[in-house]
């Protein structure tokens, strides 16, 4: 398993000119993008990835200040196959799922569920993990299922499938910018429950008392790595890396490391 370090930097705020930036060349007006084995990269010799951090255990900053996680391990493997260094840019999930991240990044790796709507904004790799939704509530909330959560304070991460699922089922959720804030609100008691992906929310409360995983929802979600629409060269490398990790058993090893055996 490759354990390279990556440097996380805070992304610039998206302004009203983002649409113009997307229409231009990602490496700057008048410049030819760097070529790495036929793949065009934003920066020469660097595989630049946008990721919504924190989102444990997929991507987060550890106590040493390093960017780590399941997605980051996969990103390091793709960078190695490109013979490039990995650069991780912290970006909001709203920017990632809308496709605006490709103004500054080669790919988005951030536990992104593949949906038909998102396919309109980006191209996806082959799925690398299955993930469903879960509802986790404080033990004294009175919430025992989705129906009893209606009218309660339910936290979701904005722009996610969890937010969409809440609205579809009559819940008016409270949106948070990232999963870290979502879980902090649950633990602080400012929301009664949280709704989102099992892999993240169950991990976030696994060592906490006073919370119950009251309902799981089999949504058939599959996670993929996103690239700019039409970037077939990079997509081929990404899929090649995922195939290599799958066939060698390394992907299962990474899942066991970050999510536990049987994940």
């Amino acid at each position: 398993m490759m354990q390279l370090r990556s440097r996380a930097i805070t992304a610039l705020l998206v302004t009203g000119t983002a649409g113009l930036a997307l229409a231009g060349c990602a490496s700057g007006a008048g410049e030819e993008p760097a070529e790495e084995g036929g793949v065009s990269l934003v920066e020469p010799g660097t595989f630049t990835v946008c990721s919504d951090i924190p989102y444990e255990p997929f991507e987060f900053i550890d106590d040493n200040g390093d960017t780590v996680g399941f997605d980051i391990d996969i990103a390091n493997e793709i960078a190695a196959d490109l013979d490039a260094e990995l650069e991780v840019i912290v970006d909001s999930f709203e920017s990632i799922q809308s496709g605006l991240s490709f103004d500054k990044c080669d790919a988005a790796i951030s536990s992104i569920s593949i949906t038909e709507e998102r396919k309109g904004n980006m191209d996806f790799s082959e799925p690398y993990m299955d993930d469903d939704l879960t509802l986790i509530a404080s033990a004294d909330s009175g919430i025992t299922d989705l129906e009893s959560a209606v009218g309660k304070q339910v936290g979701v991460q904005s722009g996610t499938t969890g937010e969409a699922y809440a609205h579809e089922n009559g819940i008016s959720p409270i949106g948070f910018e990232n999963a870290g804030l979502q879980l902090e609100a649950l633990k602080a008691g400012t929301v009664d429950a949280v709704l989102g992906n099992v892999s993240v929310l169950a991990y976030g409360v696994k060592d906490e008392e006073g919370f119950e995983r009251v309902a799981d929802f089999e949504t058939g979600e599959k996670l993929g790595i996103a690239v700019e629409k039409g970037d077939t060269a990079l997509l081929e490398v990404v899929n090649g890396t995922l195939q290599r990790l799958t066939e060698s058993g390394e992907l299962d090893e990474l899942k066991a490391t970050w999510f536990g055996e049987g994940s």
Side-chain angles (χ1 to χ4, degrees):
M1 173 175 26
M2 185 170 295
Q3 294 290 346
L4 302 181
R5 292 183 177 181
S6 57
R7 178 167 59 88
I9 60 176
T10 303
L12 297 176
L13 293 176
V14 178
T15 69
T17 59
L20 293 176
L22 280 171
C25 176
S27 58
E31 298 179 12
E32 289 296 323
E35 295 287 336
E36 299 290 336
V39 175
S40 296
L41 297 177
V42 172
E43 294 292 338
T46 301
F47 177 46
T48 309
V49 167
C50 276
S51 192
D52 175 36
I53 297 174
Y55 201 68
E56 296 186 49
F58 287 92
E59 42 266 333
F60 62 100
I61 310 298
D62 69 9
D63 293 338
N64 296 318
D66 297 322
T67 308
V68 298
F70 177 62
D71 280 343
I72 303 305
D73 282 348
I74 293 174
N76 272 313
E77 293 287 346
I78 297 169
D81 287 346
L82 287 166
D83 194 23
E85 295 295 321
L86 176 64
E87 184 78 42
V88 179
I89 293 180
V90 179
D91 205 2
S92 72
F93 197 76
E94 288 280 8
S95 179
I96 289 171
Q97 64 98 26
S98 67
L100 289 175
S101 292
F102 301 119
D103 182 35
K104 50 190 173 284
C105 292
D106 301 304
I109 305 179
S110 196
S111 182
I112 309 171
S113 297
I114 301 170
T115 68
E116 290 303 315
E117 181 179 1
R118 289 171 184 166
K119 284 180 180 179
N121 300 324
M122 61 199 77
D123 288 337
F124 281 101
S125 70
E126 293 297 319
Y128 65 94
M129 186 173 179
D130 296 335
D131 205 4
D132 288 320
L133 298 178
T134 191
L135 179 67
I136 296 176
S138 59
D140 58 359
S141 66
I143 296 175
T144 57
D145 53 21
L146 196 61
E147 184 177 354
S148 59
V150 176
K152 299 282 190 175
Q153 302 283 339
V154 179
V156 299
Q157 183 177 354
S158 299
T160 64
T161 53
E163 180 182 41
Y165 195 80
H167 284 296
E168 290 167 4
N169 287 275
I171 294 172
S172 298
I174 299 172
F176 293 91
E177 184 178 357
N178 59 55
L181 294 174
Q182 182 188 10
L183 284 163
E184 285 177 16
L186 178 67
K187 294 172 185 178
T190 55
V191 297
D192 301 307
V194 291
L195 176 61
N197 288 102
V198 173
S199 56
V200 172
L201 297 186
Y203 178 90
V205 298
K206 64 183 177 67
D207 297 322
E208 303 283 341
E209 295 183 356
F211 303 103
E212 298 177 357
R213 185 168 155 185
V214 297
D216 291 335
F217 313 103
E218 295 184 2
T219 55
E221 291 184 44
K222 295 182 181 297
L223 308 183
I225 295 168
V227 303
E228 190 169 15
K229 285 196 72 65
D231 193 349
T232 55
L234 179 55
L235 192 61
E236 183 177 350
V237 174
V238 170
N239 280 328
T241 300
L242 292 175
Q243 182 177 0
R244 171 174 64 80
L245 294 175
T246 299
E247 292 177 351
S248 68
E250 291 175 83
L251 189 61
D252 286 336
E253 291 176 6
L254 290 176
K255 289 177 182 178
T257 296
W258 292 107
F259 302 100
E261 296 294 339
S263 57

